[in-house]
């Protein structure tokens, strides 16, 4: 802690002196530098989740208790603390809640207070005006706040996915906590599935995991997934059948929940707006997956041959070893027993 304080003082002293190095570096004390703001360094944003707009960036910190801090920067990295204001809108089960983003003169940060973050994911829309120019965006924030997203990204970095690697169905692969998952949606039906993958990137049973997705693209939506047949995957449906530019994933276990923003790395800006790259989630798929588990008595082996656009035509092959049992759905299920 002492070393960190010394580094902060050195960085601020350099910045006040007008060093060109200080202009380009990104420190944890990112408020506009005045005599008052130097004294307020402890309340600066340490791990912002930063979104890049045309004309600058905004770094966010959402706390579990509803406190919000944001720092707005110009393209050269200098904080913007004049002619900037905004509004936040939280989407909730009982209606929307709105709060203004006000500039704190001591820190140079925009601050707001909203409802506590109690849901697995809460959709928050922001509208910021910078010198009269609008910066708009949508965040899906977990109950632990934006800090949880940054922590999830750090953990995912320890198990990198090979560049360009896709899942068994052609979807996006992402490390979430101790899990590796594939997220994929069918472009014709909008059905979205999440598969849990093993070390060889092969599907394994979902088990007791519960999964939610926050999509941001042409619009935004929160999708709660339900277990697929035989526990092969979790399934839901998206209204917009286009690839998202942002995808937030919650994988909840009985004891904890892990959260990631797909493709995000700490310290890297998330590009939003027309220039934002899309994630390859929505593909044409035949759901070509074969999952096998240990052949112990009573253990299920599921083969999913569904190549239809909806659930009504699902063909499921279920092997239950040691028991005479099958599953049929809408007259097209097939039970095989040994």
């Amino acid at each position: 802690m002492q070393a960190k304080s010394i580094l902060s003082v050195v960085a601020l002293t350099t910045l006040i002196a007008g060093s060109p190095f200080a202009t380009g570096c990104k420190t944890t004390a990112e408020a506009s530098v005045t005599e008052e703001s130097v004294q307020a360094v402890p309340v600066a944003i340490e791990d912002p989740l930063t979104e890049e707009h045309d004309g600058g960036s905004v770094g966010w910190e959402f706390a579990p208790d509803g406190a919000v801090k944001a720092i707005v920067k110009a393209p050269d990295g200098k904080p913007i603390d004049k002619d900037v204001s905004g509004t936040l809108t939280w989407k909730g089960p009982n209606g929307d809640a709105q709060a203004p983003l006000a500039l704190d003169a001591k820190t140079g940060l925009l601050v707001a207070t909203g409802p506590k973050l109690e849901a697995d994911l809460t959709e928050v829309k922001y509208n910021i005006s910078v010198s009269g120019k609008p910066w708009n965006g949508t965040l899906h924030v977990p109950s632990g706040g934006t800090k949880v997203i940054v922590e999830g990204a750090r953990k995912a970095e320890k198990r990198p996915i090979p560049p360009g690697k896709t899942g068994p169905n052609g979807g996006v692969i992402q490390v979430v906590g101790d899990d590796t998952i594939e997220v994929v949606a069918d472009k014709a039906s909008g059905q979205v599935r999440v598969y849990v993958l093993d070390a060889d990137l092969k599907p394994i049973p979902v088990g007791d995991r519960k999964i939610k997705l926050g999509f941001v693209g042409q619009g935004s939506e929160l999708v709660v997934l339900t277990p697929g047949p035989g526990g092969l995957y979790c399934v839901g449906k998206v209204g917009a059948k286009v690839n998202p530019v942002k995808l937030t994933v919650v994988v909840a276990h009985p004891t904890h929940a892990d959260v990631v923003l797909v493709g995000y790395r700490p310290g890297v800006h998330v590009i939003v707006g027309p220039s934002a790259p899309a994630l390859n989630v929505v593909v044409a798929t035949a759901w070509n997956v074969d999952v096998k588990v240990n052949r112990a008595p009573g253990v299920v082996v599921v083969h999913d041959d569904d190549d239809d656009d909806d659930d009504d035509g699902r063909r499921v092959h279920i092997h239950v070893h040691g028991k005479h049992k099958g599953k049929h759905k809408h007259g097209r299920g097939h039970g095989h027993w040994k």
Side-chain angles (χ1 to χ4, degrees):
M1 295 296 293
Q2 184 176 5
K4 183 176 180 181
S5 299
I6 294 173
L7 288 173
S8 297
V9 171
V10 172
L12 283 170
T13 303
T14 306
L15 183 57
I16 293 171
S19 167
F21 169 76
T23 302
C25 72
K26 295 184 179 180
T27 70
T28 59
E30 299 188 34
S32 61
V33 180
T34 64
E35 185 176 4
E36 289 183 330
S37 67
V38 170
Q39 297 174 352
V41 167
V43 299
I45 301 176
E46 293 188 2
D47 286 315
L49 178 61
T50 302
E51 298 204 332
E52 185 169 331
H53 292 261
D54 181 19
S57 65
V58 53
W60 295 101
E61 180 188 275
F62 283 74
D65 64 359
V68 180
K69 293 187 288 186
I71 183 163
V72 179
K73 290 185 177 183
D76 61 3
K78 293 182 178 179
I80 299 174
D81 56 3
K82 294 181 180 179
D83 197 16
V84 56
S85 61
T87 303
L88 292 174
T89 303
W90 287 259
K91 186 175 181 180
N94 300 319
D96 295 346
Q98 195 171 84
L101 279 163
L103 188 66
D104 184 340
K106 290 185 177 181
T107 64
L109 303 177
L110 289 172
V111 296
T113 301
K116 292 183 179 180
L117 298 172
E118 298 179 332
D120 291 333
L121 284 180
T122 299
E123 183 175 294
V124 185
K125 293 184 179 296
Y126 65 85
N127 303 92
I128 296 177
S129 174
V130 182
S131 299
K133 184 176 181 178
W135 293 4
N136 303 324
T138 302
L139 303 168
H140 286 102
V141 186
S143 58
T146 49
K147 180 179 178 180
V148 173
I149 295 178
V150 177
E151 291 173 347
R154 289 198 178 108
K155 193 166 186 177
E157 278 189 315
K158 298 178 181 178
R159 291 193 291 131
I161 303 299
K165 183 68 175 177
T166 59
N169 291 285
V172 168
I173 301 175
Q174 174 67 45
V175 172
V176 187
D178 293 327
D179 294 319
T180 302
I181 64 169
E182 176 192 19
V183 184
V184 59
D186 180 67
K187 66 166 58 175
S189 66
Q191 184 185 111
V192 59
R193 297 182 181 184
V194 172
Y195 292 85
V196 179
L197 308 178
D198 64 14
D200 297 319
L201 303 182
K202 303 296 184 183
I204 60 175
V206 173
D208 55 10
R209 298 171 180 86
K210 296 182 180 179
I211 301 175
K212 294 182 180 179
L213 305 174
F215 282 81
V216 178
Q218 293 179 345
S220 61
E221 54 187 310
L222 185 62
V223 182
V224 179
L225 306 186
T226 57
L232 177 63
Y233 50 80
C234 287
V235 61
K237 204 158 193 174
V238 290
K241 300 171 187 176
V242 295
N243 281 315
V245 297
K246 291 198 300 181
L247 176 61
T248 308
V249 181
V250 177
V251 178
H253 297 263
T255 58
H256 69 285
D258 296 301
V259 185
V260 296
L261 179 60
V262 173
Y264 169 67
R265 291 180 291 131
V268 176
H269 292 186
V270 179
I271 300 175
V272 296
S275 60
L279 297 166
N280 188 37
V281 172
V282 181
V283 300
T285 178
W287 306 117
N288 183 23
V289 172
D290 185 358
V291 173
K292 296 181 180 179
V293 294
N294 294 331
R295 291 179 175 269
V299 175
V300 178
V301 178
V302 182
H303 307 269
D304 185 357
D305 297 329
D306 182 14
D307 58 359
D308 298 316
D309 292 339
D310 54 38
D311 290 336
D312 293 339
R314 181 179 296 132
R315 295 195 300 271
V316 181
H317 303 268
I318 299 181
H319 303 254
V320 182
H321 302 282
K323 296 182 181 180
H324 187 82
K325 184 179 181 181
K327 179 174 180 177
H328 300 263
K329 184 174 181 66
H330 298 290
R332 294 187 64 182
H334 304 284
H336 299 273
W337 306 278
K338 293 182 179 179

